[in-house]
Amino acid sequence: MRKQPSRRWLWIGLAIVLLLACLMILNVVTGHRSAAGQGAGGLIALLTSPDFVVASLVAMTPLLLAALGGLFNELAGVLNLALEAIMLCGALAAYMGALAGHSPWVGLLLAMVVGMLVALVHAWFSVTLRVDQIVSAVGLNLFALAATAYVFRLRFGNVSQFPSAPGFGSLSFPLLSSLPYLGPAFFQLNALVYLALVLVPVTWFVLYRTTWGLAVRAVGEKPLAATTVGVEVQRVRYLALLVCGALAGAGGAALVSASGVNAFQENMTAGRGYVAFAAIVFGRWHPLGILLGVLLFGFGDALQIRLQAYGVNVPYQLLETLPYVITLLALMLLMRNARGPAASGQPYSTEGARTLLKGAAASEEQATEETTPATAGTVLELRQIVKRFPGVVANDHVTLAIRRGEIHALLGENGAGKTTLMNIVYGLYRPDEGQILVEGKRAQIRTPREAMQLGIGMVHQHFMLIPALSVLENIVLGTRPERAPLLDLRQAEQRIAQLTQSLGLEASPYERVQNLTLGQQQKVEIMKALYRGARLLILDEPTAVLTPQESEELFVLLRRLRAEGVTIIFISHKLKEVMAISDRVTVMRLGRVVRTLEVQQATPSELARLMVGRAVALRVAKEEVEAGEVRLRMEEVQARGSNGQAALRGISLELRAGEIHGLAGVDGNGQSELLEVLMGLRRVERGRILFEGRDITLLDTAARLDLALAHIPEDRHRQGLILDLSVAENMVLDVFDHPPYTRYSWRRFGAVVARARQLMAAFDVRAPGPLTPMRHLSGGNQQKAVLARALGREPRLLIAMQPTRGLDVGAIAYVHRRIVEARDRGCAVLLISSDLDEILALSDRISVIYEGRILETLPAAAVDLTHLGLLMAGTRPEQVPQLQLQPQRLVSGDWPVT
């Protein structure tokens, strides 16, 4: 079903029509009251006259042109405060061009060319060199201010009067020009005003109805995702800046025309480039919204001129600030929750240029080597693949053969090189050494587009979808439709109808991806690959964010694809999933292939040993214990997330001494906010938190730490450690200002180092010494350091969030053992994890969180996995309809290959 268009702009258009009617009535009524034009009636008549409307439209034209240009680079993810420089240089070029060519059109053309040149300079600094975009823009603004003044004085000297350039004449429309009020107000304007107004719907059409406009919006939201479907991010951003330069340069020409004397003045933009940027924000990055924003400034500009002419007893310097004050107030009052493109202002590079060049050179050199015949029956063969990054060899002479029509698991711990290897196959990286054979032929895969042309598709662990775009736009992004460059979504909708039905995707193709569940988003990723004709599908950790039901649905789908001849590479570190879904498995460790074997001949314990190089206990040794008193109680706690939306919606929870309370749920359902609320890092809006009977709702983090609360944060790098500090300093971050580590505000390094040595020995933190910088430790030892700091004080309450994320099997077993030991000492433990196996292995009780609410709490021994998975998806068994997937084929030769 096609998504219904919003009526917002219809209401805005109706409001504008009513406003015009009111202006006409006021002008007629007040004009009759005061023939002299004085008094309140005369002022109102002046402000509602056609001349005032014309002045407002002329004043807004330079801003509208610049803002529409800036919209392109903003949506492409380039923050362009250099609109001021482009407009100023364009204004000087327009003035000199019109004088030299005896025509304002010559000046306009020259202004657009100069604007594009200035934009190219900004593009070179911000896109190619990846200089901070604000620094680049401000530097250009300062340079343009000095350069235009120098050129202007060099050409015209220091005379007091300058020649007027030819200007744009007023256009007159038969019949329309003679209409009362409307004729002189709207149909006797100069050509640039009409040009700017026409560009509003043209800009909308380009951005929302062409393939290039879709690429622009995708690049601004998530450039890496755009890259994975063949969009060239830098090319799109350069072109967007060129369009911006042309339009903003035209805005400079319009500024000369609006000056009244058709002459250039030093610093004549007077901050209008910044106002144009503000209009983009005010208009919420939409052409029609921008038009309203610049009309507001044009109204303010015309108002201050009319008030001066009317003789208002206010210094003219204050009146000249009126349009800027109006713009500032509008932004402050109306734009509190405005959200721009997600990647705005962020530089982007898939790989360092040196790495790319080195990989390309190696590939070209090896292309001349003789290639031995491919192994019979293989669809993909990798031979001696090497990929180096600074300080690490990610893939060390990897050889791998994938058979046609099999599900081949690639097993290994985080950092084993699995994803890097598949990124090489998909064209995101280039190998430094080695050969790739596809269907028995040597292949040079330099970009994702080339991989897709070879029938290779990839679904990444972190979905490469653009949240702000619709399902349909995500699927067709990067393809070339039959009516290119037009974006024919209806034709694409018909082509994916079979895929949607077969995959059981219960969402409109016009629904934004950000509104879908994670399971639905994964189906969209698979649809995106199949739509492009993928016959080799790479899935990177596909179940990491899925509920058990969604995982099972995925496995059913993968088996169907295999039956239809699709080859699947299944990247995982979960032994149970590998045993359940794959035909063969290749184990990688430290960038090398350890062994490839048939799954029927493998056991979980053997695979675990191959992964880490030693025997590992796969089960947590945990005895049943009797839970003690309630250590912490949350009563109807409500809190907002960083986006201002409700994150916790009346959480009630009890944590008991000597008990591990697991919190199960798909990431993003309020787990992070819950941890922050408990540790005093986020404000509670309603409800209260009681710790051992004491209300701690208003206590800060330091006070809660003093009460023996401790936590293991979700991300050890961003929230748990200061990597540039030593191991010893990190070990006492929570007590560094307490004795014996501080005395009379002086730090005592001896005590700090002694404490670090004690904790390193107790928790097996392996480092050259306590003064070693934390960043030099492995990920496992960094996590042990976080664990040592939290448990070393023997806390009464421990909140552990994702405590084993990114660790190998051996480190996971160690962390689990220490958490169980803390429970056995009487500590209350809240375990927050997206790994359901971890929750089930450690917890004594389990609660399920969904959209900021606790849906149910039950003993771990009584947990039914199906029931738990349904709760994680926000439903209960009695609410689940019995869905039957349609038996249509998922693979068809009719779908386009990019």
Side-chain angles (χ1 to χ4, degrees):
M1 181 179 66
R2 188 174 179 86
K3 187 177 179 180
Q4 293 295 324
S6 171
R7 296 184 178 180
R8 178 179 56 179
W9 298 112
L10 179 64
W11 288 111
I12 291 176
L14 180 60
I16 293 175
V17 172
L18 292 175
L19 177 62
L20 289 175
C22 292
L23 288 176
M24 293 173 62
I25 295 171
L26 281 172
N27 182 253
V28 172
V29 172
T30 55
H32 287 304
R33 286 184 181 178
S34 180
Q38 299 297 321
L43 178 60
I44 294 175
L46 186 66
L47 298 182
T48 57
S49 66
D51 288 342
F52 181 77
V53 175
V54 170
S56 298
L57 292 174
V58 170
M60 70 98 187
T61 299
L63 300 173
L64 180 57
L65 289 168
L68 289 177
L71 177 62
F72 282 94
N73 61 248
E74 270 289 305
L75 290 180
V78 181
L79 188 65
N80 189 7
L81 293 177
L83 292 174
E84 181 86 359
I86 298 173
M87 290 181 70
L88 190 58
C89 293
L92 178 60
Y95 176 57
M96 297 178 67
L99 285 176
H102 307 290
S103 169
W105 295 103
V106 174
L108 175 63
L109 181 60
L110 185 60
M112 295 174 69
V113 171
V114 170
M116 293 169 70
L117 292 175
V118 177
L120 272 178
V121 174
H122 183 50
W124 185 63
F125 278 112
S126 61
V127 178
T128 302
L129 300 182
R130 299 193 293 280
V131 173
D132 184 275
Q133 295 173 13
I134 295 178
V135 173
S136 172
V138 171
L140 276 175
N141 290 341
L142 295 174
F143 175 79
L145 185 64
T148 52
Y150 173 76
V151 172
F152 183 63
R153 293 180 185 180
L154 185 67
R155 171 63 179 83
F156 297 102
N158 292 318
V159 297
S160 57
Q161 292 187 351
F162 305 98
S164 294
F168 293 94
S170 299
L171 297 181
S172 181
F173 297 86
L175 299 180
L176 295 176
S177 300
S178 59
L179 291 174
Y181 192 87
L182 295 178
F186 296 103
F187 300 109
Q188 298 177 16
L189 304 171
N190 73 55
L192 280 182
V193 178
Y194 295 118
L195 175 64
L197 292 174
V198 167
L199 282 174
V200 173
V202 170
T203 298
W204 176 88
F205 183 85
V206 170
L207 288 173
Y208 295 95
R209 289 295 181 267
T210 68
T211 55
W212 182 73
L214 177 60
V216 167
R217 291 183 287 131
V219 164
E221 289 289 339
K222 199 171 181 181
L224 182 57
T227 299
T228 61
V229 292
V231 176
E232 297 185 35
V233 173
Q234 290 200 351
R235 178 178 295 180
V236 170
R237 287 185 168 177
Y238 259 88
L239 187 54
L241 278 164
L242 285 175
V243 173
C244 170
L247 292 180
L255 194 60
V256 173
S257 177
S259 66
V261 293
N262 290 320
F264 177 82
Q265 301 173 18
E266 295 180 19
N267 192 26
M268 69 182 304
T269 50
R272 284 177 173 81
Y274 297 105
V275 175
F277 180 82
I280 298 173
V281 180
F282 177 88
R284 295 182 181 269
W285 294 268
H286 193 282
L288 293 179
I290 288 173
L291 176 60
L292 293 178
V294 296
L295 275 173
L296 183 65
F297 184 90
F299 169 81
D301 200 15
L303 179 61
Q304 62 95 3
I305 294 174
R306 291 300 184 272
L307 289 178
Q308 289 187 49
Y310 190 76
V312 174
N313 189 24
V314 176
Y316 76 92
Q317 295 92 340
L318 288 179
L319 287 177
E320 287 181 347
T321 66
L322 186 60
Y324 303 97
V325 172
I326 291 176
T327 302
L328 179 62
L329 289 177
L331 286 173
M332 292 174 61
L333 296 176
L334 302 178
M335 306 309 298
R336 291 181 58 189
N337 296 321
R339 174 197 171 275
S344 180
Q346 300 177 11
Y348 175 74
S349 175
T350 52
E351 275 192 299
R354 185 176 304 174
T355 305
L356 276 173
L357 291 174
K358 184 176 180 181
S363 298
E364 291 171 3
E365 180 179 323
Q366 293 161 17
T368 61
E369 297 178 2
E370 182 178 352
T371 302
T372 57
T375 305
T378 61
V379 65
L380 173 70
E381 190 170 353
L382 307 178
R383 296 179 177 176
Q384 299 295 311
I385 297 295
V386 176
K387 183 61 184 176
R388 302 180 183 91
F389 294 105
V392 64
V393 179
N395 294 135
D396 189 359
H397 296 89
V398 174
T399 296
L400 180 67
I402 307 296
R403 297 171 185 168
R404 182 177 288 103
E406 73 170 346
I407 299 179
H408 193 115
L410 203 56
L411 183 65
E413 286 302 316
N414 292 298
K418 311 181 301 294
T419 300
T420 299
L421 186 66
M422 291 300 104
N423 281 337
I424 290 174
V425 173
Y426 194 60
L428 288 172
Y429 294 150
R430 299 188 193 177
D432 297 318
E433 300 176 22
Q435 299 177 350
I436 302 175
L437 281 74
V438 179
E439 298 286 357
K441 299 179 181 178
R442 176 70 184 277
Q444 296 288 330
I445 307 177
R446 293 176 289 270
T447 65
R449 183 178 294 275
E450 293 180 359
M452 288 183 283
Q453 289 171 346
L454 292 170
I456 301 173
M458 185 169 182
V459 177
H460 299 260
Q461 178 180 1
H462 303 288
F463 298 148
M464 293 300 168
L465 298 172
I466 317 295
L469 299 186
S470 69
V471 170
L472 198 52
E473 287 173 325
N474 271 280
I475 291 174
V476 303
L477 176 64
T479 63
R480 185 173 180 82
E482 294 177 1
R483 298 175 58 190
L486 299 181
L487 188 61
D488 193 349
L489 293 180
R490 289 189 177 181
Q491 184 184 47
E493 181 181 5
Q494 296 171 358
R495 288 182 172 178
I496 69 168
Q498 178 184 343
L499 278 175
T500 303
Q501 189 177 21
S502 298
L503 292 174
L505 180 62
E506 296 180 315
S508 166
Y510 294 93
E511 186 68 54
R512 287 190 176 185
V513 165
Q514 64 193 15
N515 298 329
L516 303 182
T517 66
L518 293 172
Q520 290 175 322
Q521 290 182 29
Q522 187 170 73
K523 290 180 180 179
V524 174
E525 280 278 27
I526 295 175
M527 288 171 59
K528 189 171 70 173
L530 296 178
Y531 181 80
R532 289 162 168 76
R535 304 292 303 183
L536 171 61
L537 187 60
I538 303 168
L539 302 176
D540 188 2
E541 300 283 1
T543 64
V545 293
L546 302 186
T547 65
Q549 282 76 16
E550 289 172 333
S551 297
E552 186 55 41
E553 287 179 13
L554 174 65
F555 291 168
V556 171
L557 174 61
L558 295 185
R559 294 185 184 106
R560 289 179 58 195
L561 288 171
R562 176 180 59 185
E564 295 181 13
V566 176
T567 303
I568 298 167
I569 299 177
F570 187 90
I571 304 175
S572 181
H573 68 277
K574 298 181 179 181
L575 301 175
K576 184 169 63 175
E577 293 178 354
V578 169
M579 298 295 294
I581 190 63
S582 57
D583 302 308
R584 290 194 304 153
V585 56
T586 294
V587 181
M588 293 187 66
R589 185 172 73 242
L590 300 177
R592 298 177 180 177
V593 170
V594 179
R595 188 178 173 187
T596 298
L597 62 164
E598 301 287 338
V599 169
Q600 294 179 349
Q601 302 172 356
T603 62
S605 58
E606 180 185 8
L607 292 178
R609 182 183 60 79
L610 292 173
M611 286 170 63
V612 300
R614 64 183 186 279
V616 177
L618 297 179
R619 296 197 176 194
V620 181
K622 182 168 71 78
E623 297 179 357
E624 296 294 331
V625 295
E626 187 75 22
E629 76 282 358
V630 174
R631 187 66 53 83
L632 181 135
R633 177 181 286 112
M634 301 181 71
E635 298 178 352
E636 295 295 327
V637 172
Q638 298 181 21
R640 293 187 179 275
S642 301
N643 59 1
Q645 303 299 315
L648 301 181
R649 307 166 187 262
I651 292 277
S652 294
L653 191 67
E654 288 185 352
L655 304 180
R656 295 181 175 273
E659 180 182 74
I660 299 177
H661 193 123
L663 190 66
V666 178
D667 278 346
N669 278 285
Q671 296 96 319
S672 298
E673 290 80 4
L674 177 61
L675 180 144
E676 291 170 357
V677 161
L678 289 175
M679 292 305 302
L681 300 170
R682 186 174 297 275
R683 187 173 68 87
V684 174
E685 291 199 337
R686 289 187 179 180
R688 60 176 186 164
I689 304 172
L690 302 175
F691 180 71
E692 296 182 338
R694 175 183 176 182
D695 191 340
I696 64 169
T697 309
L698 300 179
L699 293 185
D700 60 17
T701 303
R704 299 188 195 200
L705 290 173
D706 290 341
L707 291 175
L709 276 74
H711 79 294
I712 300 173
E714 179 179 10
D715 187 329
R716 59 179 172 268
H717 287 170
R718 295 178 56 193
Q719 302 156 336
L721 300 169
I722 301 177
L723 298 179
D724 290 327
L725 295 185
S726 67
V727 173
E729 290 169 309
N730 274 279
M731 289 288 195
V732 297
L733 280 179
D734 53 348
V735 290
F736 73 95
D737 57 345
H738 290 50
Y741 313 112
T742 301
R743 186 176 183 183
Y744 304 122
S745 298
W746 289 91
R747 295 177 61 191
R748 304 182 65 189
F749 289 100
V752 171
V753 170
R755 176 61 173 170
R757 292 187 189 278
Q758 178 187 358
L759 291 177
M760 290 171 67
F763 289 84
D764 192 29
V765 179
R766 300 177 185 180
L771 299 182
T772 302
M774 182 60 76
R775 68 170 59 256
H776 293 167
L777 273 64
S778 67
N781 282 299
Q782 289 178 352
Q783 188 72 357
K784 287 180 182 179
V786 174
L787 190 70
R789 186 179 64 214
L791 296 180
R793 299 174 63 198
E794 298 189 355
R796 300 182 63 76
L797 171 66
L798 173 68
I799 308 163
M801 185 163 186
Q802 314 294 357
T804 60
R805 177 173 285 174
L807 302 185
D808 62 33
V809 176
I812 289 173
Y814 179 84
V815 172
H816 285 174
R817 187 172 72 252
R818 298 310 295 249
I819 291 177
V820 171
E821 289 174 359
R823 180 208 67 165
D824 294 343
R825 290 196 304 268
C827 178
V829 179
L830 176 62
L831 174 65
I832 306 173
S833 177
S834 59
D835 188 339
L836 194 54
D837 290 335
E838 184 170 58
I839 291 286
L840 294 172
L842 291 178
S843 303
D844 300 303
R845 277 194 306 156
I846 298 176
S847 293
V848 179
I849 187 171
Y850 179 76
E851 293 186 348
R853 296 183 176 92
I854 299 295
L855 296 188
E856 191 170 329
T857 299
L858 59 165
V863 165
D864 174 76
L865 192 59
T866 300
H867 183 69
L868 189 62
L870 290 173
L871 289 173
M872 290 171 64
T875 58
R876 297 178 184 274
E878 61 271 15
Q879 300 173 332
V880 180
Q882 297 300 316
L883 297 176
Q884 296 293 331
L885 293 180
Q886 300 299 318
Q888 289 94 344
R889 285 180 59 83
L890 296 171
V891 181
S892 169
D894 297 333
W895 298 325
V897 177
T898 310

